[in-house]
Structure formats: structure tokens, C-alpha cells
Amino acid sequence: MSFASHDSATKQSAGQAITAEEIGASGATAPEDVARYALWLGDDALMLAQRLGWWIARAPELEEDIALANIALDLLGHARFFLTYAGTAWGKTEDDLAYFRDEEEFRSCRLVEQENGDFGQTIARQLIFSYYQYELYRRLVDSSDATLAAIADKALKEVQYHQDHASQWILRLGLGTEESKRRVQDGLDYMWPYVDELFHDDELIDALEGIAVRPSTLRADFDRRIAEILGEAGLEVPGIPGAWGGDRSGEFSEQRGHILAEMQVLARQHPGATW
Amino acid sequence: MSENTVSTIDASAGEWPLWEVFVRSSRGLSHVHAGSLHAPDATMALRNARDLYTRRNEGTSVWVVPADAVSASDPDSKGGYFESPQGKSYRHATYYTKSEGVKHL
């Protein structure tokens, strides 16, 4: 590989981590239930990546633009892993699953589909989701399914950074001006009805003892850490009850269709196109 | 990352201040200037530097320095600063011939 010269400050190397292609080529075939679980995780990451991509060229500063784009790309990477692995159960590729499923076939949680709103609202969603994902992957690295464990191991390092990014912004917006505090608190209130759903134990979980992480077991650590960071930022943990429905049964938010329309249009108009 | 300082963004400042970024590509090498960026404070400058200048495994360590803390030579007086050594080859050891009979040099 030809990278930049050796004495440059920006010497580049490709790194060692696993790739989605390697998962596809490994010959590991996901059992049906594992594939359905991988779809949950992959769809969450895919939807949020698509949402965050909207900020490219729209963030408050160029530097923040790149930070959010980096996070979106990390999530897209997680989605590729999970969807590639899920697809092995049904002879489908990551692209089949991402671009040629309809809204009712996705299994993403409603939180990741919510409107970006202003920057405060996006950061509120980032805080909730990255804290949840951190607790999830921290445990999924011990999965008895070797592929899920390997994906979680790679993703965990990235999610730690997403968590840090969201925390830094929550502190600055919470402790910033009256206006920034009001807007990030509004963002938290807007997203809060979709928190409960992250910790719902679907029946699928019962079939995956030792493989999947039981969502309800993540709640206590999540609540404690969220209360801690919001307290530090001078913000309130919203007392808003969870929204009805949404147990990953196919129940979905009205925003999902809009996301998919934007995400899938090219692949559906030009099936098989490569670029 | 071990820094813990959190300062709030000064909304009255308008634009975020400029920072110079230095990246060390591997142990044993020195930090080399990689570029600059805007950030509200040092903690965020480090985060932004990580996103802007270490995306392809470039670094093992990053420094950020407020751009106004850097005093630089004037590009317009380059001649006065840097051209004076030209023609002064006697400043190099190779200019001198070895004296006769000196061993082990």
C-alpha cells in the first residue's frame, strides 16, 4: 500500500481491525435468531448514520461537521458488519438488506429515527444512544457468538468516542448560555419518550441466552450515568413517560419512511449500480 | 485522554479561536505540525484534532496550541533570517582538509 511519506505528521496506515468484507468471506453463517438480532443492531446503526449524515455541510462549524460525519461513518461501519452477518442466514448481502427492504421490515428503534431538530436535539439523541450503545457493546463482547463478539469489540472503541463527543457537547450546551441550555433541555425532552424502548426485552431475547444482551439489564447503568452527566451539565433528567408501542415488532415511527426514501432511492432506481 | 477541564463557550466571541495541531506519528519521533483548526477550548480542540488529523491511523499523540501563542518569523524577511549562511561553507566540517599526520580522524 502506498501511504504518505514516513516523516510526515500525517503518516497513514490502514490499521488492523476487521472489515465487513472479512465477515462476509469468513464463511460464518448466522443462525436464524442470531440474524434477526443482528438486524436490530444493524438497523439502529444504519438509521442513525443516515440521520447524522444530514449534518454534513450544515453543522455549526466545519470541525463539527467532520466530527458528526466521522460518527456517522463509524455507525455505517457497524451497520455493514451486522447486516452482512445477518444476511448470511438468508443468502442476502448488506446492500439487499439496506436498500431493498420496506419500512415494515426494518427493526430499528424509534429513537434513531427521530428528527435531527436543532443541534441541541441531535446532541440529546447522541447522548442517549451512545450511552445505551456503550452499555450494550460492553457486554456483547462476551457473546458466545464469535462474530457478534468481534463486531462489538471493534464498535466499542468507536462508541466510547461517540459517548465522549456527546458528553463534551452536553456539558458545553448545558453550562453555556440560557439559550443553549433551554434548547438542549428541549432536545432531551423531545427524545425521552423513545428511551424506554431501548430496554425492552423482546421475546427474541429469550431464545438467545448467552448470545444476545438482555436490554433490561442495561437500564440501571444507563440511568445512573445519564443522571450523572446531566447533573454535571446542570440539566434535568426528563420525567416524560415512554411513548406507546415500539417493541421492535415492526411498529415504527412515521419518520422511518422518509429516511428510507432518501437512503434507498438511488439503489432502487439503478439496481446493481456500482460506483 | 486525561484532561478534565471544561470551559464554556463564549458566545460573544463570534468565531471559535484558532489552534495549531501537532501530531506524533509514532513513539520516539517528535510532534510535527499537521495543520490548524477552530475550537471553543483546548478540550474540544483535541477532539477536533483527532477527527481532522488522525482519521487514517496517523497519530499516537496529539498536541494543540493556541495559534496566538505561537510567535513566528516574518515570511517577508526570509532573506535576512535564512540566507546569510549561504556562501559560508567554512561553517561546515567538510570545508576543512585534514592536517597531515593526524590519525584517527
Side-chain angles (χ1 to χ4, degrees), chain B residues 29-99:
Chain B
L29 297 180
S30 50
H31 286 76
V32 176
H33 186 238
S36 48
L37 54 78
H38 292 94
D41 54 52
T43 309
M44 294 302 272
L46 273 177
R47 305 301 191 279
N48 291 348
R50 178 260 189 200
D51 280 325
L52 282 157
Y53 295 108
T54 70
R55 300 180 68 224
R56 299 173 193 87
N57 264 2
E58 292 95 336
T60 59
S61 154
V62 180
W63 288 351
V64 290
V65 178
D68 58 15
V70 175
S71 302
S73 59
D74 178 1
D76 292 334
S77 44
K78 210 164 63 181
Y81 266 89
F82 303 115
E83 279 168 26
S84 139
Q86 285 172 18
K88 293 174 182 167
S89 47
Y90 51 83
R91 289 185 176 178
H92 296 269
T94 49
Y95 172 81
Y96 299 96
T97 49
K98 193 168 71 174
S99 301

Side-chain angles (χ1 to χ4, degrees), chain A residues 6-16 60-64 66-71 73-74 157-158 161 164-165 168-169 171-173 175-177 232, chain B residues 1 5-9 11 14-16 23-26 29 32-34 36-41 43-44 46-48 50-53 55-59:
Chain A
H6 188 75
D7 59 350
S8 158
T10 51
K11 183 183 68 152
Q12 301 168 4
S13 72
Q16 300 291 324
E61 293 278 341
L62 174 67
E63 285 78 0
E64 189 51 32
I66 293 166
L68 288 171
N70 266 348
I71 292 171
L73 282 174
D74 285 347
K157 294 184 202 89
E158 296 169 357
Y161 186 74
D164 175 72
H165 173 268
Q168 296 296 334
W169 272 116
L171 291 172
R172 280 162 184 78
L173 296 174
L175 304 172
T177 62
E232 210 183 317
Chain B
M1 289 177 219
T5 47
V6 169
S7 54
T8 55
I9 296 166
E15 196 173 287
W16 291 349
V23 176
R24 182 169 63 176
S25 56
S26 58
L29 297 180
V32 176
H33 186 238
S36 48
L37 54 78
H38 292 94
D41 54 52
T43 309
M44 294 302 272
L46 273 177
R47 305 301 191 279
N48 291 348
R50 178 260 189 200
D51 280 325
L52 282 157
Y53 295 108
R55 300 180 68 224
R56 299 173 193 87
N57 264 2
E58 292 95 336

